């Protein structure tokens, strides 16, 4: 193989695992599949496809984290609104 | 060390550590079972089903207080994964902060991926069975 890079692209599997054991987000599952595609393409010598799958895996992990973050912010706002509402309801 | 004087490199090196420090503090001080501001699992909240991640926040809290048994009781798969996760996160951190290209060998084996996530899926199903041996897989209430 000409131009064989020495290290495979980062498949970001650690984020997929964290998604699974911490929040079980559907995007985590897509990230897992993309991560394993990185390995498959790499083993086949298809470095371009491996890089693309790695970029996808990263993209889905970031989206997963962003959705989780938005969920947390909405949840905190929800709790605050309920708390404030509850405080007013006592009067 | 000259690199650290470069402000962008410095930020990349320091921000993940700050974030981790804040998370450590929150999960050490507050017990998710007794505090209401922790985010409940969206799946548990909407369907009342447990996923592979349910109990993780409480498990982390107990682990930080060296209550290994309690931590195990909330989420064994997380506790068993912790050595690997710590190793992998250190590698990710070094790559992110210092631009190195270290790789966790295990993650580049599809056998490992299939086995690990296979276990996670089977475990998610089993912990929802409310019968004798399986109910111990569900987090304590």
């Amino acid at each position: 193989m000409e131009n064989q890079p020495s290290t495979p692209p980062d498949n970001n599997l650690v984020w997929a695992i964290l998604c699974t054991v911490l929040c079980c987000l559907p995007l985590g599952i897509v990230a897992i599949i993309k991560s394993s595609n990185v390995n498959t393409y790499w083993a086949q010598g298809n470095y371009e496809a491996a890089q693309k799958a790695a970029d996808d895996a990263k993209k889905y992990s970031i989206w997963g984290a962003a959705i989780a973050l938005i969920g947390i912010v909405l949840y905190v706002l929800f709790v605050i609104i309920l708390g404030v509402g509850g405080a007013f309801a006592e009067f | 060390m000259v690199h650290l004087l470069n402000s962008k490199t410095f930020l990349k090196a320091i921000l993940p550590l700050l974030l981790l420090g804040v998370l450590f503090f929150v999960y050490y001080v507050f017990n998710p079972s007794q505090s209401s501001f922790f985010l409940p699992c969206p799946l548990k909240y909407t369907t009342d089903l447990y996923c592979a991640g349910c109990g993780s926040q409480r498990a982390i809290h107990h682990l930080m207080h060296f209550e290994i048994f309690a931590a195990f009781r909330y989420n064994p798969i997380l506790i068993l994964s912790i050595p690997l996760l710590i190793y992998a996160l250190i590698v990710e951190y070094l790559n992110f902060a210092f631009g190195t290209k270290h790789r966790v060998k295990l993650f580049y084996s599809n056998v490992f991926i299939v086995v690990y996530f296979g276990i996670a899926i089977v475990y998610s199903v089993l912990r929802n069975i409310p019968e004798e041996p399986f109910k111990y897989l569900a987090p304590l209430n």
Side-chain angles (χ1 to χ4, degrees):
Chain A
M1 286 286 160
E2 85 263 33
N3 291 335
Q4 181 181 1
S6 54
T7 34
D10 193 342
N11 68 5
N12 290 295
L13 190 70
V14 64
W15 305 112
I17 294 181
L18 281 174
C19 255
T20 312
V21 291
L22 293 183
C23 47
C24 201
L25 288 171
L27 285 173
I29 296 167
V30 183
I32 294 163
I33 294 166
K34 292 288 175 190
S35 293
S36 73
N37 284 348
V38 174
N39 304 348
T40 311
Y41 288 134
W42 188 261
Q44 289 169 354
N46 195 345
Y47 307 123
E48 227 166 83
Q51 183 62 55
K52 200 186 166 299
D55 294 343
D56 281 350
K58 192 174 187 174
K59 190 175 73 188
Y60 287 113
S61 294
I62 290 172
W63 274 108
I67 289 172
L69 206 68
I70 292 167
I72 290 169
V73 169
L74 285 179
Y75 177 76
V76 169
L77 281 178
F78 182 68
V79 168
I80 291 172
I81 290 166
L82 270 191
V84 172
F88 276 111
E90 279 171 30
F91 290 105
Chain B
M1 281 294 115
V2 178
H3 283 301
L4 284 182
L5 296 175
N6 177 332
S7 64
K8 201 179 163 201
T9 317
F10 181 72
L11 268 184
K12 275 181 135 181
I14 214 78
L15 274 181
L17 296 182
L18 272 179
L19 189 67
L20 198 67
V22 170
L23 285 178
F24 253 75
F25 178 77
V26 170
Y27 279 98
Y28 184 84
V29 173
F30 300 102
N31 182 346
S33 304
Q34 286 150 16
S35 311
S36 59
F37 59 85
F38 285 90
L39 190 69
C41 171
L43 185 79
K44 173 86 178 108
Y45 192 75
T46 50
T47 64
D48 219 30
L49 288 171
Y50 297 118
C51 68
C54 286
S56 288
Q57 299 187 90
R58 287 165 285 175
I60 290 170
H61 173 79
H62 286 292
L63 190 67
M64 284 174 155
H65 291 265
F66 299 104
E67 292 153 6
I68 311 288
F69 181 76
F72 210 79
R73 189 64 191 79
Y74 281 112
N75 195 326
I77 201 169
L78 172 74
I79 303 305
L80 294 175
S81 305
I82 275 183
L84 178 65
L85 285 174
I86 289 176
Y87 171 62
L89 283 174
I90 290 173
V91 169
E92 283 287 315
Y93 170 70
L94 292 177
N95 289 346
F96 174 75
F98 305 106
T100 51
K101 284 190 169 181
H102 302 297
R103 295 287 181 262
V104 181
K105 275 259 167 64
L106 203 54
F107 289 175
Y108 293 85
S109 149
N110 279 352
V111 175
F112 167 76
I113 296 182
V114 169
V115 169
Y116 187 89
F117 290 100
I119 290 173
I121 290 165
V122 171
Y123 167 71
S124 307
V125 173
L126 291 183
R127 72 193 314 212
N128 281 294
I129 302 174
E131 294 301 327
E132 246 313 306
F134 305 118
K135 69 178 186 188
Y136 296 108
L137 291 175
L140 276 173
N141 270 318

